[in-house]
Amino acid sequence: MMNLKLIFTVIIIQFAGVSVAQTEDQKQMMYEYINQDSKVNSKIIPKIESINNKEDLFKKALILPVYRVEFDEKKEPKLVQNKNYYMVFYVDRLYTFLNGKNSRLFENRPEITSITKLLNDSKQFSIVYFTDSFSPLGIFLDFKITDNAFSYLIDKEIQFNTVYDYVNQKYGTMEKYEENISIDKKRSEINLDKIKESNKNNYHKYEYYCPKDTSLVIKTFMNQIKLATLSFTEEQETKLGNMIRVKINPFLFLQNKMGKFSNEKNAKDLIEKSKKENEEALNKVIKFKGDYDFSIYGVSVLNELLEVLSNKQFQDYKDFQDIYFPIVELNNPFSSTRYSYAMEVLEREGYKDYNNYVENILNQCGCPYDESIKREIKFR
C-alpha cells in the first residue's frame, strides 16, 4: 500500500478541476456498503478492518469519476463524465456505484493491479467506458483505463496503443460502434409508458404465462413487430403468421394435408414415426444459439422474418429488440440471453415487484397465468 501523503498528491494532480463531489447521503450509502466487508464471514471474501464512519472512510478512500468515451465529428475521442457513475478505490478493492446499484472488484482482478501500479507510479489515469453493458442482473460497468491524452487504453490485462485499436477489436468498425451508441441513446429515452406498451406486446411473456394459447402468442408477436416497425401491413401479417404456424408445428400441417388421402391411418403413422426420428436426431445435435435467433416456442423464425419483412422493417425490429432487450455479455455460444430493460426503468420509477407489474398487464390483455403448465421456457 502506498502512503497516505502520496495518495492525496495523486488525487490533487489527477482530479483538479473535475467534479467528483458526492452528497452526504451518497457518502453515507457508500460507507454502509463498503463497511459490509468488515462483517463478512466467508473464506472466499476476506474481511477488511471495520470503518467507524464515512469521515474515516474518505480519509483513506479514493473516489474515481467515470467517463464515457465519445467521438466528435472528426472522430476525435473525448471524455464525458457520467455523474451517475462513480467508483471508490479502498484497501486494494474497487467498489462500483451505478445509478444506486453497488458491486465490487476484489484484489486479484487485473484492473486492480493496473490501478495500483498507476497510483504507485504517480501517473494520471481515468476510468472510462464506451457502450452500455448488461449482465443477467442488469447494467454493469465494463470499464477501461486511459489518460486524458488517450496515449494508451487498458482493458483488463490487454493494453491498446490507441482507442481506435480497441474500438476495431471490440466492435469491428467505427460504424458498428456508432450503431451501438445510437441504441444506447434510444434506450435512455424509454419511459414508463413505453415500458407498459412493450410488455403488452412481449410475446415471450405470453409463451410463459399462457403457452397453450398459440393463437394469442402468435398474435402478440405480430403486435410486437407492428410496434417496432410502424409499417407492418395486414398482408405481411397474414403471410408471416401462416409461415410461423407451419414452422412451430410442421407435423400438424402435414397431418392436415395428408388427411385428405384415403389411407388416413397410414399417413398419421408415417408422420408420428418421422416426428419421433427427428426429435431423437435433434437431441444428439450440439445446438449453437445466436443472439439474433428470434424464436417462438423455441423454434427460430429468423428466416421467416427475413423473407417477409423489408430490409428497413427488419432493421427496425432488430433495433427494437436491442433497445428493450439488450444482449447479456455471457460469451456463451450455447445460450443467447437478453435482459429486460423494463426492470431497470421500473426500478428507477420506484416499482419493487417487476413480476407483479407484468402479471397485471397480461391479465388485462387476456393472458392469465396458467398454473397447470410445467414451464421450461426461459423468458425475458
Side-chain angles (χ1 to χ4, degrees):
M1 289 292 294
M2 64 172 62
N3 63 51
L4 193 58
K5 182 177 180 181
L6 180 54
I7 287 180
F8 280 111
T9 301
V10 172
I11 293 173
I12 292 169
I13 294 173
Q14 182 180 344
F15 301 124
V18 176
S19 174
V20 294
Q22 311 301 320
T23 67
E24 292 305 311
D25 286 344
Q26 287 176 323
K27 288 184 177 181
Q28 183 65 27
M29 178 268 294
M30 293 157 68
Y31 158 70
E32 290 174 358
Y33 181 72
I34 294 172
N35 198 39
Q36 288 178 3
D37 284 353
S38 69
K39 303 171 185 177
V40 295
N41 186 18
S42 168
K43 294 180 180 179
I44 300 175
I45 305 174
K47 282 187 178 182
I48 63 173
E49 291 185 9
S50 180
I51 311 168
N52 294 324
N53 50 53
K54 65 179 184 290
E55 287 76 21
D56 283 352
L57 169 66
F58 292 107
K59 288 177 182 176
K60 301 177 182 178
L62 173 59
I63 301 178
L64 301 171
V66 176
Y67 301 88
R68 188 165 192 153
V69 178
E70 297 183 4
F71 295 86
D72 61 22
E73 295 178 354
K74 296 180 180 179
K75 303 298 189 231
E76 294 291 333
K78 60 180 180 179
L79 296 179
V80 178
Q81 186 180 354
N82 184 338
K83 294 186 179 180
N84 294 318
Y85 291 7
Y86 44 93
M87 307 182 85
V88 178
F89 188 68
Y90 181 71
V91 292
D92 294 331
R93 300 183 186 194
L94 199 58
Y95 296 86
T96 304
F97 301 88
L98 312 178
N99 298 326
K101 292 186 176 182
N102 313 321
S103 62
R104 65 174 68 78
L105 299 178
F106 291 108
E107 297 89 337
N108 58 345
R109 290 289 296 262
E111 298 95 328
I112 302 292
T113 302
S114 295
I115 289 175
T116 301
K117 185 176 187 307
L118 287 165
L119 287 171
N120 284 330
D121 293 343
S122 299
K123 289 187 176 179
Q124 185 273 333
F125 68 93
S126 296
I127 302 294
V128 304
Y129 71 105
F130 287 78
T131 52
D132 293 341
S133 300
F134 293 88
S135 76
L137 300 176
I139 196 165
F140 74 96
L141 183 61
D142 184 19
F143 73 91
K144 325 297 173 193
I145 303 169
T146 187
D147 61 5
N148 291 342
F150 300 101
S151 62
Y152 65 87
L153 187 133
I154 303 172
D155 178 20
K156 299 178 179 65
E157 296 175 308
I158 304 173
Q159 181 157 335
F160 296 87
N161 292 325
T162 70
V163 292
Y164 306 105
D165 292 339
Y166 169 76
V167 167
N168 289 333
Q169 184 272 339
K170 171 70 175 179
Y171 303 98
T173 64
M174 177 65 72
E175 183 180 7
K176 191 63 184 178
Y177 157 79
E178 289 172 344
E179 288 179 4
N180 280 267
I181 287 293
S182 175
I183 293 294
D184 285 356
K185 289 181 178 178
K186 291 176 182 177
R187 191 184 299 119
S188 68
E189 297 169 357
I190 295 176
N191 57 28
L192 203 55
D193 289 338
K194 291 182 178 180
I195 288 300
K196 184 175 182 179
E197 196 67 21
S198 71
N199 271 294
K200 282 170 56 179
N201 297 288
N202 184 355
Y203 71 96
H204 286 294
K205 297 295 186 186
Y206 289 76
E207 281 183 320
Y208 185 81
Y209 279 85
C210 48
K212 292 180 181 179
D213 198 338
T214 308
S215 296
L216 182 59
V217 171
I218 294 175
K219 179 64 176 176
T220 307
F221 178 62
M222 300 301 166
N223 289 339
Q224 187 183 73
I225 295 174
K226 290 177 185 177
L227 181 63
T229 66
L230 303 179
S231 61
F232 191 55
T233 67
E234 290 184 9
E235 292 78 11
Q236 284 180 303
E237 181 176 353
T238 300
K239 180 178 176 64
L240 183 59
N242 290 336
M243 294 173 74
I244 288 173
R245 289 180 181 88
V246 171
K247 189 72 176 283
I248 64 178
N249 197 343
F251 297 103
L252 179 60
F253 172 79
L254 290 174
Q255 193 168 333
N256 291 336
K257 290 289 186 183
M258 297 179 75
K260 298 177 181 180
F261 296 102
S262 57
N263 197 347
E264 185 177 339
K265 184 179 185 305
N266 287 344
K268 288 183 179 179
D269 289 344
L270 183 63
I271 290 170
E272 288 303 314
K273 181 181 178 183
S274 175
K275 183 178 181 180
K276 182 178 179 181
E277 288 174 350
N278 276 277
E279 286 176 347
E280 289 175 350
L282 284 172
N283 288 332
K284 297 176 183 177
V285 175
I286 297 176
K287 300 172 186 176
F288 293 88
K289 298 180 180 179
D291 294 319
Y292 296 100
D293 283 341
F294 302 125
S295 63
I296 297 182
Y297 292 111
V299 177
S300 175
V301 293
L302 177 60
N303 288 334
E304 286 68 29
L305 288 172
L306 288 169
E307 184 172 336
V308 174
L309 300 183
S310 68
N311 289 343
K312 174 67 165 57
Q313 286 175 326
F314 184 80
Q315 185 66 48
D316 287 344
Y317 185 65
K318 173 187 171 296
D319 288 350
F320 177 89
Q321 295 295 329
D322 289 339
I323 291 167
Y324 284 88
F325 308 103
I327 296 167
V328 168
E329 298 191 15
L330 290 177
N331 296 319
N332 184 353
F334 302 102
S335 175
S336 55
T337 306
R338 288 174 177 260
Y339 172 72
S340 178
Y341 194 70
M343 298 176 68
E344 205 82 19
V345 177
L346 290 171
E347 185 176 325
R348 188 174 69 217
E349 295 291 335
Y351 286 84
K352 302 297 183 184
D353 192 335
Y354 170 70
N355 289 329
N356 183 60
Y357 177 86
V358 171
E359 286 176 18
N360 289 336
I361 290 177
L362 297 185
N363 273 315
Q364 294 170 15
C365 295
C367 179
Y369 183 78
D370 188 344
E371 296 183 358
S372 68
I373 301 296
K374 181 180 179 182
R375 290 166 173 79
E376 295 181 356
I377 299 174
K378 294 180 179 179
F379 72 103
R380 61 189 184 207

